[in-house]
Amino acid sequence: MTGSEASPSFRLAYVPGVTPTKWVRIWNERLPDIPLTLVAVPAAEASALLRAGEADAGFVRLPVDGADLSAIPLYTEQTVVVIPKDHVAAAVEEVSLAELADDIVLHPLDDTLGWEELPGKPAIERPATTADAVELVAAGVGVLAVPQSLARLHHRKDLTYRPLSDAPESRIALSWPEDRTTDLVEDFIGIVRGRTVNSSRGRGTAPAEQPKAKAKRTDGRGAGRKPAAGSSAGSSAGKNARGGSGGAKGTKGARGAKGAAGAKRGKPRRRP
């Protein structure tokens, strides 16, 4: 692991459609002294932003651009088709690619699905962004296939969406520059992966090992002896060590010696 925890803050990038609220809340609970700053970034620019050091880590859409970026795949999104509410496909629960053969399927420049072959009929011009494509769908120009989170992000009352079968899907991953895997990055990886604060890779492991260092007494009376189970037994062992015996037998022996000494002192002497 490289880097240190000297950074005054942690910058987290995220692409449209990702909602990092849950992970940010856990971060604020565990590391309240290190503020987390969110950086919104278009999907196509996320890799360049991380590589330029403008964020410590980020939620991106796979594949990442370049072998110098590490990535942990998190989940795969359902692909849906955004349609007007009066579209014929609004009457069914799921739409297949073949059913879009007669529709103009818009393909924005920021598309994240990576089509091998576009379905339906191509538009005369590609919209610049997904938001522009949604406006065209509302105007009745065509339909749009996107990850479900983007359909929700650009929701309109006059539009709806349906699951699209046989379509490519988009995967979300946590990514960061491989040569800048700092302690703070490791902390955030642990949060995303669901590790507890006392997990083996967390920061809370050292205090759990401290009781092992107290297993032996350090005073001269019981040096080298391990305390018995329970505090009372350990105390008895310390007392018995002074008498040269341990455990119940040592206690009995000590009492026997004391009793014998008492009997000797109380025996009457014969006068000459």
Side-chain angles (χ1 to χ4, degrees):
M1 189 188 309
T2 61
S4 66
E5 299 173 331
S7 177
S9 67
F10 186 76
R11 296 160 300 172
L12 178 66
Y14 67 101
V15 298
V18 175
T19 305
T21 307
K22 175 181 68 174
W23 297 298
V24 172
R25 175 180 54 79
I26 297 174
W27 174 279
N28 290 334
E29 291 173 355
R30 295 187 184 181
L31 301 167
D33 296 332
I34 303 177
L36 186 151
T37 303
L38 290 174
V39 182
V41 58
E45 301 175 14
S47 295
L49 182 138
L50 291 172
R51 195 173 283 114
E54 297 180 26
D56 299 292
F59 291 110
V60 303
R61 293 189 182 273
L62 293 176
V64 295
D65 179 21
D68 58 332
L69 296 178
S70 297
I72 300 174
L74 300 177
Y75 58 90
T76 300
E77 286 197 73
Q78 168 74 56
T79 300
V80 301
V81 58
V82 180
I83 54 178
K85 283 191 173 181
D86 59 357
H87 192 282
V88 64
V92 299
E93 293 184 358
E94 185 177 81
V95 180
S96 67
L97 291 179
E99 292 174 302
L100 299 179
D102 295 330
D103 286 283
I104 294 176
V105 179
L106 301 168
H107 187 214
L109 295 175
D110 63 356
D111 177 74
T112 61
L113 294 176
W115 296 93
E116 293 184 3
E117 183 179 352
L118 290 172
K121 298 177 180 179
I124 297 176
E125 186 177 354
R126 294 183 64 180
T129 66
T130 297
D132 292 336
V134 170
E135 293 292 335
L136 292 175
V137 174
V141 174
V143 299
L144 173 66
V146 290
Q148 183 170 313
S149 66
L150 293 183
R152 290 174 175 171
L153 178 65
H154 298 288
H155 171 71
R156 289 174 54 117
K157 293 182 178 180
D158 53 349
L159 300 179
T160 186
Y161 61 84
R162 293 292 182 268
L164 185 61
S165 61
D166 306 322
E169 297 174 319
S170 179
R171 292 189 298 163
I172 299 297
L174 176 66
S175 183
W176 68 95
E178 187 174 359
D179 62 351
R180 294 200 294 274
T181 309
T182 64
D183 288 341
L184 293 182
V185 170
E186 287 284 7
D187 285 333
F188 194 77
I189 292 172
I191 289 173
V192 171
R193 283 184 160 173
R195 296 182 197 141
T196 64
V197 68
N198 292 321
S199 65
S200 60
R201 298 188 67 178
R203 297 185 182 183
T205 55
E209 296 177 356
Q210 289 180 358
K212 294 182 180 180
K214 300 179 181 180
K216 295 182 180 181
R217 295 179 61 94
T218 56
D219 55 34
R221 295 175 296 175
R225 293 182 180 270
K226 294 182 179 181
S231 59
S232 60
S235 176
S236 298
K239 293 180 180 179
N240 293 336
R242 294 196 296 268
S245 301
K249 291 183 179 181
T251 304
K252 183 177 180 180
R255 292 177 179 175
K258 182 177 179 180
K264 187 174 181 181
R265 288 194 298 269
K267 184 177 180 180
R269 295 183 179 181
R270 294 182 180 180
R271 294 180 180 180

